Amino acid sequence: MSTSAQLRAALASVLAEDGTLADPAWRDAAEAVPRELFVGSYFVQVPDSVPTRYRPVRQGEDGWLEGIYADETLITQLDGRTRADDVGGDRAVVGSATSSSTLPSLVLRMWQQLEVDRGHRVLEVGAGTGYSTALGAHRLGGDRLTSIEYDPVVGRAAASALGAAGYGPRLIIGDGLRGDPDGGAYDRLIATCSVRYVPMAWLHQVKPGGRILATLSGWSYTSGLALLTVTGPGTATGRFLPGYTSFMIARPHDRPPRPTLALLPGEERPASPALALSPHAVGGASYCPGAVRKRTPKPCCNAPP
């Protein structure tokens, strides 16, 4: 047994013991899919760095494969363009994570929560590295799975990795929030990105009685995993599932870009004690310790009676 196969088996065993992998079919997928084909080189966050910095871990380096099979999310792209192999030397870089391989326990838990069966047609929104797609293709068969990826560079890399692993799902480069551009009646939809609201296209492309599993989030980093049952064209009902789930937000739903705050040079000094409020009027009120007394302003000369 290769080192990769041993690490896959060890990870699957841990996830089975803690209850994450309750379905033998999904355990088989976890033991079969080589995550390293989909991740390649990746970034790890530099602890306590401000602003956040990332250090590249390149394929073949010491600890690289063990890091692949840690139950952790691995960052594979920064700022929509920078990959770990683009960074020279061991220098750390500043950036915003825009693509990743989600921690295996979360991916496998979500696939099980979706309750897919052989014969179901499934639409996945957010192929990313292709690792989740490969797990789904192993369980369902490639002909039953369509995956949509927004980023062309990420999508091409996922297609190459899926082919190398021997899987052939239908892969589309496009806006997954619009659903399958060819339409279709899907039994299940799973999103590996978060959204601010459930797109109407999803509610029309999943059959009545079908399920949608997606993370809803806002611009303030709150999020919740919602499981919906489609009740008719354009309508669904459901609930938020327990636990914490977080994904990168779909790029069309992301907040507008904002400039990075520059840290100016200077000497660090202890914070000053809180300033005491003046006993004089502040904003139309008089302040005294322990009480605020409203002050009635005098009318100006032009005020009506």
Side-chain angles (χ1 to χ4, degrees):
M1 184 182 291
S2 68
T3 302
S4 173
Q6 290 172 340
L7 291 171
R8 290 199 300 273
L11 177 61
S13 179
V14 169
L15 298 181
E17 289 175 4
D18 69 14
T20 299
L21 271 176
D23 186 333
W26 286 109
R27 178 167 182 170
D28 180 66
E31 292 178 344
V33 176
R35 193 184 185 201
E36 66 271 21
L37 287 183
F38 300 91
V39 176
S41 302
Y42 55 90
F43 291 99
V44 294
Q45 185 174 327
V46 177
D48 303 322
S49 57
V50 179
T52 304
R53 304 180 73 85
Y54 296 91
R55 178 179 62 82
V57 178
R58 296 183 181 83
Q59 186 168 346
E61 291 182 349
D62 289 343
W64 166 78
L65 190 60
E66 288 75 12
I68 293 284
Y69 287 103
D71 187 27
E72 295 180 0
T73 294
L74 302 176
I75 305 300
T76 55
Q77 185 194 68
L78 300 175
D79 299 326
R81 61 183 182 276
T82 305
R83 302 180 74 84
D85 288 331
D86 298 332
V87 180
D90 292 327
R91 67 187 181 92
V93 294
V94 175
S96 297
T98 48
S99 188
S100 66
S101 177
T102 304
L103 67 162
S105 60
L106 175 56
V107 173
L108 289 160
R109 173 166 60 86
M110 288 178 62
W111 272 117
Q112 292 172 101
Q113 289 170 326
L114 195 61
E115 294 187 358
V116 295
D117 290 320
R118 280 198 172 274
H120 278 166
R121 292 187 67 227
V122 179
L123 179 62
E124 178 188 49
V125 177
T129 64
Y131 176 66
S132 172
T133 313
L135 292 171
H138 185 90
R139 172 71 176 82
L140 298 167
D143 61 326
R144 311 304 296 174
L145 178 62
T146 294
S147 186
I148 305 177
E149 173 54 43
Y150 185 84
D151 188 309
V153 174
V154 172
R156 287 193 292 269
S160 177
L162 285 162
Y167 299 109
R170 178 172 170 243
L171 186 61
I172 299 170
I173 304 299
D175 185 354
L177 303 185
R178 300 186 179 207
D180 185 339
D182 295 333
Y186 287 94
D187 299 287
R188 299 287 189 270
L189 185 150
I190 184 170
T192 59
C193 57
S194 66
V195 291
R196 293 175 61 202
Y197 54 85
V198 178
M200 187 58 66
W202 297 2
L203 299 175
H204 283 276
Q205 293 193 357
V206 176
K207 300 175 183 177
R211 291 187 168 197
I212 296 173
L213 185 64
T215 301
L216 299 181
S217 66
W219 292 348
S220 299
Y221 303 106
T222 56
S223 63
L225 182 62
L227 179 61
L228 307 175
T229 299
V230 175
T231 55
T235 61
T237 185
R239 63 189 177 91
F240 285 102
L241 300 180
Y244 177 73
T245 303
S246 176
F247 279 96
M248 295 176 189
I249 195 165
R251 294 187 196 180
H253 278 197
D254 201 359
R255 64 187 170 198
R258 58 185 181 183
T260 302
L261 294 177
L263 300 179
L264 301 177
E267 295 183 0
E268 186 175 341
R269 62 179 184 273
S272 301
L275 296 175
L277 288 174
S278 167
H280 301 292
V282 179
S286 295
Y287 174 80
C288 64
V292 174
R293 176 170 55 86
K294 184 175 181 180
R295 171 178 291 173
T296 302
K298 294 180 179 180
C300 68
C301 59
N302 295 324

